[in-house]
Amino acid sequence: MEKFQPVRGTRDLIGEDFRRHQAVVDTARQIAALYGFEEWATPIFEETRVFSRTLGDTSDVVSKEMYSFEDRGGDSVTLRPEGTAGVCRALVSNGLTQSNLPRKVFYAGPMFRYERPQKGRYRQFHQIGCEVLGAAEPLADAEVIACGYHILKALDVAEGVVLEINTLGDTPSRDAYRAALIEYFKAHAEALSMDSQVRLDKNPMRILDSKDEGDKKIVASAPTIAEHLTPEAAAFYAAVKKHLDRFGVPWRENPRIVRGLDYYSHTAFEFITDRLGAQGTVMAGGRYNGLVEEMGGPATPSVGWAAGIERLSMLLEEPPAADRPVAVVPMGAEAEDAALDMVQALRLSGVAVDIAYKGNFKKRLERANKLNAIAAIIIGESELAEGMAVVKNLDAGTQVRVPADEVMPALAEIGVDGAVFDELMDDMGEGDEEE
Ligand code: ATP
Ligand code: MG
């Protein structure tokens, strides 16, 4: 039979891959909490118009990357290509647009885009993201960026990652800039890619983000927004940079950053690295002042970013270690019964335990070693008869013989401490008396 394979552009996360992924999410979640972000989970699919109306017709995502389909009821739904639109939709749907603003939201989960798969680019990929909803102040931009930077630091991947920032200005700045860009690109129209010729009419700023090599050459000499900023937009940008300095976040300006989605204004930024080949953007975002209105809510100026978990995982130096269980190894059927009592008592004390379902002593020890067990608890015939157990340190090869109800202290000597259990009991308000 032909072996099934995962769909092109999707990956299974197993072993070290999963642990890398999980370490990114756990770290990001903890740091985001330090900045006051609460976690939300929104559906993985939405009505298609949640994305089509908001991300922009000329964005790559809407024009060619969405996984959209008609469901059995005839409704058009789309697997979310990004997280921000869903979060904004949720703010509106749940009637949260009026109170407790700004609202600071963290999310993590899978996203779907029909792209050409390559290293660091998948069709199902995963993002973490932070959004500050309902804050017009430049301090919000700086704080959400500082949180992102802090996450990169905590993951120990900030080395070689650079924050590039730009401003897309306010509406009058953009209108003036747009006119200047149209004039410039019109003069080079025949040399532009077909995609960019379409963008020229619809959204010329989009051309700045083109990945076409020919376009990039033309973009290199295009006018920048700096000369077209209104005094207000320039002051906003200056304030963001001032606050970033205060937060200790290093940055550099890149006037070419426009971001891949159409909803941004004012601040746009990317954390980039050359350690990932062509897929060098690890975290990206900006200010989006019109998005919540597009969802039928009131004006809710917001700012946020998203980061690719796969790309961050690749940057992690050391994969986080797998948990090491304790293996309980009985010799003979009678000992196995007693071993089950021990297994379950240890698990109730918060110790991760493996017991093989079958096999002789040798086979069971082999399994313990394959699982990288930290210790084996061996119950042989004489141990069974005398109510004893042998606790073997599998790293050192040393062993002690102790009464069966005293294996916990012996395990503690090896560094196994039942921490999970203590935390659980504390949470339940039943913590046993500690120092
Ligand atoms: P790119 O320019 O790489 O296509 P983008 O502008 O489309 O990125 P965003 O929509 O801003 O990306 O998404 C934020 C982050 O999510 C990216 O910086 C990247 O780390 C990650 N990302 C985006 N698309 C993919 C993908 N197909 N596979 C893996 N990660 C992705
Ligand atoms: Mg893209």
Side-chain angles (χ1 to χ4, degrees):
M1 285 283 268
E2 179 203 350
K3 278 190 196 147
F4 285 174
Q5 297 296 333
V7 170
R8 183 167 145 81
T10 69
R11 300 194 314 148
D12 301 308
L13 293 174
I14 296 174
E16 180 187 323
D17 288 334
F18 183 85
R19 294 199 302 278
R20 284 177 179 270
H21 190 102
Q22 198 65 11
V24 170
V25 176
D26 288 347
T27 303
R29 181 176 280 136
Q30 277 172 19
I31 303 298
L34 296 179
Y35 285 76
F37 288 83
E38 58 174 315
E39 185 162 355
W40 286 11
T42 63
I44 282 170
F45 60 96
E46 298 270 356
E47 275 185 65
T48 295
R49 60 197 177 114
V50 167
F51 307 110
S52 61
R53 194 195 283 172
T54 56
L55 309 192
D57 304 336
T58 52
S59 68
D60 282 354
V61 171
V62 171
S63 62
K64 50 191 184 203
E65 295 174 0
M66 292 212 301
Y67 275 95
S68 301
F69 58 98
E70 213 174 83
D71 69 12
R72 287 169 193 275
D75 294 323
S76 178
V77 296
T78 295
L79 300 183
R80 63 182 185 193
E82 55 103 56
T84 306
V87 166
C88 290
R89 197 270 310 137
L91 187 83
V92 175
S93 316
N94 291 278
L96 303 173
T97 55
Q98 304 294 349
S99 55
N100 296 334
L101 297 181
R103 201 115 192 172
K104 297 158 87 176
V105 179
F106 169 81
Y107 64 83
M111 308 292 162
F112 306 84
R113 296 183 193 179
Y114 191 78
E115 301 209 63
R116 194 166 69 76
Q118 50 201 292
K119 184 178 172 228
R121 193 176 290 286
Y122 308 97
R123 290 183 175 175
Q124 174 174 335
F125 62 102
H126 299 77
Q127 287 183 332
I128 47 170
C130 284
E131 317 286 355
V132 181
L133 304 162
E137 296 75 21
L139 183 51
D141 306 50
E143 193 187 42
V144 81
I145 294 173
C147 176
Y149 178 68
H150 197 152
I151 289 170
L152 298 178
K153 279 275 191 200
L155 289 169
D156 206 12
V157 301
E159 193 91 11
V161 176
V162 179
L163 166 61
E164 293 193 338
I165 55 173
N166 188 26
T167 180
L168 306 175
D170 48 16
T171 307
S173 314
R174 281 164 73 103
D175 288 346
Y177 184 42
R178 188 188 149 91
L181 280 179
I182 290 177
E183 193 185 310
Y184 173 80
F185 285 124
K186 277 256 158 78
H188 298 83
E190 44 328 321
L192 288 173
S193 66
M194 288 311 289
D195 278 350
S196 287
Q197 294 191 17
V198 174
R199 294 170 180 135
L200 183 50
D201 293 324
K202 290 196 178 165
N203 183 358
M205 279 176 87
R206 176 84 300 115
I207 300 174
L208 299 177
D209 197 36
S210 173
K211 301 201 167 59
D212 180 272
E213 288 306 322
D215 289 352
K216 282 186 186 169
K217 291 203 187 83
I218 300 167
V219 165
S221 313
T224 64
I225 199 167
E227 308 89 76
H228 304 282
L229 290 180
T230 60
E232 295 76 29
F236 189 98
Y237 189 33
V240 173
K241 291 183 279 190
K242 188 190 79 179
H243 293 313
L244 282 176
D245 289 338
R246 261 277 130 101
F247 282 134
V249 180
W251 50 268
R252 78 177 176 219
E253 286 182 276
N254 177 353
R256 300 290 167 217
I257 291 179
V258 291
R259 304 297 312 114
L261 310 171
D262 279 1
Y263 49 55
Y264 293 108
S265 60
H266 286 290
T267 318
F269 58 92
E270 297 189 353
F271 285 88
I272 57 166
T273 178
D274 52 16
R275 285 168 56 200
L276 292 174
Q279 270 53 252
T281 306
V282 291
M283 185 179 278
R287 174 164 281 281
Y288 49 96
N289 285 347
L291 193 51
V292 175
E293 269 171 299
E294 295 277 347
M295 306 280 179
T300 310
S302 304
V303 57
W305 53 256
I309 297 177
E310 284 78 5
R311 295 184 196 178
L312 289 172
S313 298
M314 285 191 273
L315 289 176
L316 284 188
E317 289 291 345
E318 275 296 308
D323 290 340
R324 303 182 67 187
V326 167
V328 172
V329 181
M331 296 157 91
E334 224 179 307
E336 189 178 77
D337 273 351
L340 293 183
D341 294 345
M342 166 102 59
V343 165
Q344 217 49 6
L346 285 171
R347 286 176 178 159
L348 288 173
S349 303
V351 177
V353 181
D354 182 80
I355 180 160
Y357 298 142
K358 62 170 192 193
N360 60 21
F361 179 69
K362 183 161 165 270
K363 280 262 149 52
R364 287 172 187 253
L365 260 194
E366 266 168 27
R367 176 176 168 84
N369 283 319
K370 283 211 185 92
L371 291 175
N372 194 25
I374 188 163
I377 299 177
I378 299 160
I379 306 176
E381 259 166 53
S382 69
E383 281 77 30
L384 188 62
E386 295 161 32
M388 303 291 281
V390 172
V391 177
K392 178 166 181 165
N393 180 334
L394 290 177
D395 290 333
T398 52
Q399 59 183 53
V400 290
R401 199 165 184 270
V402 296
D405 57 2
E406 283 174 28
V407 294
M408 275 301 274
L411 287 172
E413 295 270 315
I414 307 176
V416 178
D417 59 4
V420 188
F421 181 71
D422 289 346
E423 267 172 42
L424 245 176
M425 294 313 259
D426 283 350
D427 285 352
M428 291 160 60
E430 293 174 26
D432 36 17
E433 56 280 83
E434 269 174 41
E435 68 268 39

